Amino acid sequence: MGKEYLLEVKDLSVYYETDEGTAKAVNNLDIQLEKGKTLGLVGETGSGKTTTALAMIRLVPDPPGVIKSGEIILDGMDIFKLSEKEMDTLVRGTNVSMIFQDPMTSLNPVMTVGYQIAETIKIHQKISNDEAEKKAEEMLELVGIPAARSKEFPHQFSGGMKQRVIIAIALACNPKLLIADEPTTALDVTIQAQVLETMKNLKDKFGMAMIMITHDLGIVAEVCDEVSVIYAGRIVEHGEIREVFKNTLHPYTEGLFGSLPRINDNREMLMPIPGLMPDPMDLPSGCAFSPRCKYATISCSKTIPKKKYITETHYVACIAYDDPEFKLKGV
């Protein structure tokens, strides 16, 4: 029996065309997400994670953003063929919800949190004000906030509480897919853990699929079923969590793990990845990672690597895997 995909992103390319030049933010990217699964999208700042998420709900700012190529199929719908009205009624807030970066600024400071949740519900469901307010209180309870606090304003809540309110708004209409863009960035570690646990529980309760956008491999290990490692707008490695964590294939993924502190490792120095993420307006030829890669050869700067499946679910985009003599750590 074949896999049932809720989301399929095929050959997606998104550019930002400015007076200074064209920034190639996302380049021929593919993603497949099964119903009820959680995918971690991991990479450094500037790797194209957020642009990919915005493209999924057609919110790439235009101008300067241009979707150059690709297809996004969400639950059987080709979202690039939907009208703006259909996007609002069938996709945004109904089938797909997104928690944006820095949710602290997402709440309106002059409206009560209950009103803001109820407003979201009324936009997408034909129910009365009283019913919407009641459901808003139920959503607050669901994320661990007493319903009585629905009449309070955002400034009366802590950072972790505001994040829970944002989650309540995102889940108010029972979406099939939740996109969480760095949802715990502004929170301290203990509150991060609580918020992630809340999201995991609600995901299981509602049977949602989720895309967790992050640069934190610890969050990926905690929350996700699969992980896609993104570099310069391309997926360089993808697989199930255990596959990628136990059998790292791509030099970039190896570098991400090498720069993490480990409790049972006595090294005095971590092994950071040398150099910086390339400028999307001036991407290197061939493999974009080659200028920073300790395994790079002349061929790497001439050829854009294609996917090579190592197992049925684990693939890597690195030309070295076409060379039988090549050995990377863990392979």
Side-chain angles (χ1 to χ4, degrees):
M1 187 173 164
K3 292 181 179 178
E4 197 174 356
Y5 292 116
L6 174 69
L7 175 72
E8 289 185 88
V9 180
K10 304 173 183 176
D11 196 34
L12 178 67
S13 293
V14 184
Y15 295 175
Y16 292 102
E17 296 178 346
T18 69
D19 293 340
E20 289 76 35
T22 298
K24 298 178 178 180
V26 178
N27 301 287
N28 309 105
L29 181 138
D30 297 313
I31 288 175
Q32 292 178 317
L33 179 61
E34 290 180 69
K35 293 183 176 180
K37 296 277 190 179
T38 300
L39 171 70
L41 196 57
V42 180
E44 293 168 272
T45 300
S47 59
K49 305 186 299 291
T50 298
T51 297
T52 299
L54 291 174
M56 291 176 191
I57 50 176
R58 257 178 45 195
L59 285 180
V60 173
D62 178 16
V66 179
I67 293 171
K68 281 290 186 181
S69 69
E71 191 178 20
I72 299 179
I73 309 297
L74 174 72
D75 204 22
M77 297 181 289
D78 185 340
I79 73 155
F80 291 153
K81 291 182 179 174
L82 299 178
S83 67
E84 197 59 32
K85 186 176 180 182
E86 287 172 325
M87 285 298 298
D88 286 335
T89 55
L90 298 176
V91 179
R92 301 181 195 124
T94 47
N95 280 315
V96 183
S97 284
M98 184 164 175
I99 299 172
F100 292 93
Q101 280 182 348
D102 192 15
M104 308 305 168
T105 59
S106 299
L107 293 169
N108 190 322
V110 299
M111 293 179 180
T112 65
V113 297
Y115 177 86
Q116 293 183 61
I117 301 171
E119 185 180 40
T120 302
I121 296 166
K122 284 189 293 182
I123 287 170
H124 297 289
Q125 298 177 7
K126 292 179 180 175
I127 58 176
S128 68
N129 288 345
D130 288 345
E131 287 173 315
E133 285 174 18
K134 186 171 184 299
K135 186 164 183 188
E137 291 178 354
E138 289 171 1
M139 291 306 301
L140 281 176
E141 292 277 0
L142 206 58
V143 295
I145 298 174
R149 299 199 65 181
S150 67
K151 299 288 191 283
E152 295 181 12
F153 292 87
H155 73 270
Q156 294 172 276
F157 291 80
S158 67
M161 289 282 214
K162 285 179 187 171
Q163 183 63 289
R164 289 169 188 264
V165 172
I166 293 292
I167 293 170
I169 292 172
L171 301 184
C173 296
N174 296 355
K176 292 177 181 175
L177 172 62
L178 175 66
I179 302 172
D181 188 359
E182 305 270 12
T184 58
T185 297
L187 306 177
D188 65 58
V189 176
T190 51
I191 303 301
Q192 272 191 26
Q194 292 173 17
V195 168
L196 289 172
E197 190 62 29
T198 300
M199 292 177 73
K200 270 171 65 179
N201 292 340
L202 292 173
K203 173 195 165 296
D204 293 338
K205 180 180 175 70
F206 289 110
M208 293 183 301
M210 185 160 70
I211 294 176
M212 177 68 71
I213 297 172
T214 183
H215 56 264
D216 189 330
L217 288 164
I219 289 176
V220 171
E222 180 73 23
V223 175
C224 302
D225 302 303
E226 301 174 1
V227 59
S228 288
V229 180
I230 184 171
Y231 187 83
R234 293 182 190 274
I235 303 291
V236 295
E237 182 169 357
H238 169 87
E240 294 177 354
I241 286 295
R242 184 172 292 276
E243 291 175 319
V244 175
F245 278 55
K246 295 284 186 187
N247 186 23
T248 304
L249 296 177
H250 198 278
Y252 178 58
T253 317
E254 181 194 316
L256 292 178
F257 280 104
S259 59
L260 286 176
R262 291 186 181 153
I263 201 161
N264 57 354
D265 194 333
N266 295 322
R267 283 180 304 173
E268 289 186 10
M269 299 285 287
L270 295 175
M271 298 292 292
I273 304 169
L276 297 171
M277 178 74 66
D279 181 352
M281 287 191 183
D282 186 25
L283 290 175
S285 59
C287 173
F289 186 62
S290 61
R292 303 173 71 185
C293 180
K294 61 185 177 184
Y295 304 105
T297 65
I298 301 283
S299 303
C300 295
S301 61
K302 296 179 178 176
T303 309
I304 294 175
K306 293 184 170 61
K307 288 187 214 170
K308 185 174 180 70
Y309 279 86
I310 307 302
T311 71
E312 191 180 332
T313 51
H314 191 184
Y315 69 75
V316 61
C318 175
I319 64 166
Y321 286 86
D322 296 326
D323 178 0
E325 299 297 313
F326 178 80
K327 285 290 178 190
L328 184 65
K329 183 196 78 172
V331 179

